[in-house]
Every structure is written in C-alpha cells, then in structure tokens.
Amino acid sequence: FFKQKTAYEIPLRLVGSEMCIRDRVEEYSRLLQQTRDQAVERMMADAEKKGANAIICFRIQSSTIAQGASEVVAYGTAVIFED
C-alpha cells in the first residue's frame, strides 16, 4: 500500500517546480492573449486603410508551429456599410 503524502512531506524542490510551471503557463497565456489582440488590431488597421468601416466573417486562429512557438492569425472580410 502507498502512503499518502501530506503537504509537509512533499519536498520543497517539487513545490517550487510546480509553482514555476504554473507561472510559465500563466505567462504563456498572457503572451498569447496579447498576440491575439495585436493580430486583431492589425487587421482592423488594414481594413481602415482600405476604406472599410466594418469587418464581417471575422475569425481568429492560433496554432503551434514549433515547440514553444505559436502563430496567431486574424482574418475577415473588410466591407463598407452604407445607410
């Protein structure tokens, strides 16, 4: 039978590693969100340069292109809505 470890029996090096991993995941999530925001801003700026006042069929995709590297793509159709 395995003895269940209590919190004080877990080596501190493991607790530190877990905290480091959690921090890295939080940092990666924050960077990915910033990248999404930047992709959307660039798409909107490009649409405005072309005279559009709206974007339809908007999509955003992210994918892993290599270990530790992701790409984010925002795309849609720039249109001019008239009243």
Side-chain angles (χ1 to χ4, degrees):
F1 291 88
F2 294 103
K3 178 183 172 191
Q4 183 176 357
K5 290 187 178 257
T6 58
Y8 60 86
E9 291 178 311
I10 297 173
L12 287 177
R13 63 184 165 76
L14 294 179
V15 173
S17 296
E18 184 177 312
M19 291 172 66
C20 183
I21 291 168
R22 184 179 62 230
D23 290 345
R24 287 183 182 174
V25 169
E26 288 173 4
E27 177 68 13
Y28 180 75
S29 295
R30 186 182 64 75
L31 288 172
L32 195 54
Q33 183 59 51
Q34 286 178 345
T35 304
R36 285 187 200 111
D37 293 344
Q38 187 178 43
V40 171
E41 288 170 8
R42 287 181 177 178
M43 180 186 63
M44 291 170 54
D46 191 42
E48 287 177 7
K49 285 180 189 174
K50 294 177 180 176
N53 61 5
I55 297 172
I56 60 172
C57 300
F58 167 74
R59 296 187 121 187
I60 191 164
Q61 289 183 313
S62 60
S63 60
T64 302
I65 57 174
Q67 185 175 356
S70 295
E71 74 174 348
V72 175
V73 179
Y75 59 96
T77 303
V79 298
I80 299 172
F81 274 111
E82 297 178 357
D83 289 327

